[in-house]
Amino acid sequence: MTRAGIAAARSSTAQLAEIIPQVDDEQWELPSACAGWRVIDVVAHLAALASEAVDPPPPDPSLPQNRERYHDLRVDERRGWNHAEVLDEWRRSTPRQLDLLEAAQEPPGADEAVEVPGLGTYPRHLLANTMAFNVFCHLRNDMLAPNGPLPFTLPEPTDDQVAPAIDFMLAGLPQMQGPELTATVDRPLVLDLTGPGATTVTVFPASGPDGELTVTPGADATTRVHSTALDFIAWATTRKPWRDHCRITGNTSAATPFLDCLNII
């Protein structure tokens, strides 16, 4: 199971809860580092996800199939809310979301496949890692300086916070972009991530025309992409240019199309 994921989700959520009382009304209105969203919109996004987790809405085929556009829609629905209303929703729903994710670590349902529209299919227990990734990424990259506008500091990220987020990103990598990303890999590539959240994995090409990429532990290729895991969270979500944060050894031309295309949501 991924109990590390629920611990990481709780840890980053607790840090966000420490930051929120320090933010004033003007700061909530500042543009975040997430394009098109104010700082308050980032919290609205997290609140919307929490509310949907604890009270799932009925299926609606008219909603955007693209996950990023879906997130924009949910944020737009809350743009008329005042700051207190957004924060109240986040405070009300987030503890219940965490409790549900904790319960999802228990058999027999922990290994049940769950489809996350626009993101892929995951074992239920791994959904804790999605929250660990989401809160960590938005807080550290979009809200807080030096990338975001809020001039507050947190302790340096720990392996316990970063590794579960990386685990989700690697689980989502073969699924989120489907054939678009699959077409960029025609030979194995190694991702060598260092620092907090360190891991080394090999991305293998699809085995057939309708197949997906596979990601396995270890270094089984000569072409390698070297980066810190913290930087990976930023450039693999296209928040920062990968060229500023990666070093390629081996066949650069084999890795470049993959890196140019990768966009983990």
Side-chain angles (χ1 to χ4, degrees), residues 28-214:
W28 283 125
E29 292 294 319
L30 293 173
S32 78
C34 188
W37 287 1
R38 302 164 298 167
V39 175
I40 192 63
D41 295 328
V42 176
V43 180
H45 163 62
L46 298 175
L49 290 177
S51 293
E52 291 187 8
V54 301
D55 188 16
D60 183 350
S62 70
L63 293 174
Q65 298 301 303
N66 179 285
R67 189 69 181 184
E68 290 179 302
R69 300 294 74 76
Y70 176 80
H71 289 162
D72 285 335
L73 173 69
R74 292 309 192 200
V75 167
D76 288 345
E77 291 173 344
R78 290 159 171 79
R79 286 190 184 271
W81 297 14
N82 62 43
H83 301 159
E85 289 171 325
V86 172
L87 297 175
D88 284 347
E89 182 185 34
W90 182 82
R91 292 189 177 104
R92 182 175 62 253
S93 296
T94 296
R96 296 172 62 197
Q97 179 188 23
L98 288 164
D99 288 344
L100 286 172
L101 292 173
E102 180 110 41
Q105 306 303 308
E106 300 297 332
D111 288 322
E112 177 185 2
V114 177
E115 181 183 0
V116 182
L119 296 183
T121 300
Y122 305 87
R124 187 174 296 278
H125 65 83
L126 195 69
L127 298 183
N129 293 56
T130 70
M131 184 178 182
F133 161 76
N134 212 26
V135 178
F136 182 92
C137 182
H138 283 303
L139 176 60
R140 299 275 183 164
N141 287 290
D142 298 332
M143 297 177 70
L144 296 182
N147 303 304
L150 299 183
F152 311 119
T153 58
L154 289 173
E156 289 297 310
T158 64
D159 188 76
D160 289 344
Q161 291 175 318
V162 181
I166 298 295
D167 287 344
F168 164 69
M169 295 175 74
L170 295 176
L173 186 153
Q175 305 185 67
M176 292 184 190
Q177 294 172 271
E180 177 189 17
L181 186 65
T182 300
T184 68
V185 180
D186 59 10
R187 67 194 75 181
L189 306 171
V190 172
L191 292 176
D192 184 21
L193 307 179
T194 58
T199 190
T200 299
V201 298
T202 302
V203 180
F204 286 95
S207 58
D210 297 321
E212 292 182 340
L213 303 175
T214 55

Side-chain angles (χ1 to χ4, degrees), residues 214-235:
T214 55
V215 180
T216 63
D220 294 317
T222 57
T223 298
R224 301 190 180 193
V225 179
H226 307 270
S227 168
T228 69
L230 284 172
D231 285 340
F232 177 71
I233 292 175
W235 62 256

